Amino acid sequence: MKTYQSPKNPSSSKKETKQTTDSKPVSFFEVVYKIVRKIPQGRVTTYGAIAEASGLRITPRMVGWAMNGAGNVKPAVPAHRVVNRNGELSGRQFFATPTLMQELLEQEGVAVKDDKITNFKTVFWDPEVKAKPRKDSKKKV
């Protein structure tokens, strides 16, 4: 991705990117989408948690901006699993219908009432916490 410097403000055109091992810059959109694709079915996370887990200096509002464009991304991004810090479906207006976000969450077993997740603390998924190994996955010797 080529960027051009603005003559008035040289840093204004620089986007926040993360370098990969093949030295190809990755946009923060790609970083956000990679995190969102990891959210387990039946769980939700917040814009702020994604911003923190990204390792980039981005804000929750920037994550929301990226999520606004997630509908046309391949592979699909489960944007319905991202809510605000209070568990409210703040991005619902960006779905095809006003109730689609809630419907998708309810299909996954997430309870929603008045555009807010009722058991938010229970279904919250923190992207920075490593998954614990399952008990049945221990090797038998």
Side-chain angles (χ1 to χ4, degrees):
M1 176 179 351
K2 193 167 187 173
T3 59
Y4 298 94
Q5 292 186 353
S6 167
K8 292 182 181 177
N9 186 355
S11 64
S12 67
S13 63
K14 293 181 183 175
K15 289 187 176 182
E16 187 74 38
T17 58
K18 186 176 186 176
Q19 293 290 328
T20 59
T21 55
D22 62 357
S23 73
K24 178 185 171 193
V26 177
S27 77
F28 82 91
F29 280 69
E30 293 173 30
V31 174
V32 167
Y33 297 154
K34 184 176 180 180
I35 294 169
V36 174
R37 287 185 186 109
K38 292 179 182 178
I39 303 170
Q41 192 172 18
R43 305 289 296 275
V44 297
T45 196
T46 63
Y47 301 101
I50 293 168
E52 286 290 320
S54 74
L56 303 172
R57 294 183 316 194
I58 61 174
T59 65
R61 200 171 285 243
M62 291 173 74
V63 172
W65 184 40
M67 295 312 300
N68 185 24
N72 301 322
V73 176
K74 302 267 190 232
V77 177
H80 63 284
R81 297 179 187 152
V82 183
V83 298
N84 74 11
R85 63 189 170 107
N86 298 318
E88 297 168 343
L89 311 186
S90 57
R92 68 187 176 280
Q93 69 272 15
F94 297 106
F95 285 79
T97 66
T99 59
L100 182 58
M101 184 176 185
Q102 179 174 340
E103 292 167 9
L104 292 170
L105 287 168
E106 288 174 339
Q107 286 175 7
E108 294 182 1
V110 178
V112 179
K113 184 176 180 182
D114 298 325
D115 296 322
K116 188 172 182 177
I117 295 173
T118 56
N119 54 344
F120 180 57
K121 289 183 180 180
T122 306
V123 297
F124 176 74
W125 177 76
D126 187 346
E128 294 205 280
V129 175
K130 301 262 191 244
K132 295 178 182 176
R134 293 179 13 195
K135 291 179 182 177
D136 61 346
S137 67
K138 292 181 182 177
K139 290 183 180 179
K140 293 181 182 178
V141 181

